[in-house]
Amino acid sequence: MLTLVGEDRPGIVAKVTAALFEGGCNLGEASMMRLGGSFTTMLMVNSDGAAKQVQTMLAPVVESLGLHLHIDAIAGQLHQHVLPDVRITVSGADRAGIVAQVTGALAGAGLNILDLESDVAGTAESPIYIMHIEGVATEGVGALESAVDVIAREGVDISISSVDTLIG
């Protein structure tokens, strides 16, 4: 798993993936996003060489773009996707601890989080925290609703709905 973090700028994906391709690497799953003014990506990279060789190969590109590189050996497990069966939306006045409180309650009720995205909307004077979660409800949606009921009574809006997945 190759992870890059740095200041966002045009051309990061093109330059990094070109260097990997020219070095004989093959890409698997990838996730890339911009958070604030920073860019981050996680890439599953298959290489005949060791992690150190991939790091050496990417060094000129990483250095020229001012990125931080981290590589971990992982078991690929391509094509073994876990599909979410529940979607949760949380919004409320932004305050420290809201993510820990909500995700802790949901984990206690058997939620396996597969994806989480959040943002701060509203204004600088009245920031609103918004979080979208998708996951697997191992103990059912009812258990999740019960777990967050106390938090919802504190003025946090929490919506939980089942995800119907069509496969075929």
Side-chain angles (χ1 to χ4, degrees), residues 67-151:
L67 301 172
H68 299 278
L69 169 67
H70 183 82
I71 299 175
D72 291 297
I74 61 167
Q77 299 182 357
L78 289 173
H79 312 288
Q80 297 179 21
H81 300 114
V82 177
L83 298 175
D85 64 4
V86 66
R87 180 172 295 125
I88 302 157
T89 300
V90 178
S91 64
D94 188 27
R95 60 176 168 79
I98 190 169
V99 176
Q101 186 180 20
V102 171
T103 58
L106 294 170
L111 180 69
N112 180 19
I113 295 175
L114 301 176
D115 190 37
L116 184 154
E117 291 187 19
S118 67
D119 202 351
V120 178
T123 64
E125 297 78 28
S126 298
I128 305 294
Y129 191 81
I130 302 168
M131 180 167 52
H132 300 282
I133 301 170
E134 288 189 345
V136 176
T138 62
E139 297 176 23
V141 170
L144 299 177
E145 291 171 338
S146 294
V148 297
D149 185 54
V150 168
I151 302 167

Side-chain angles (χ1 to χ4, degrees), residues 9-22 32 39 61 65:
R9 65 183 66 198
I12 293 174
V13 174
K15 290 177 181 175
V16 169
T17 57
L20 290 168
F21 173 71
E22 291 165 6
M32 303 175 193
F39 173 85
V61 173
L65 294 170

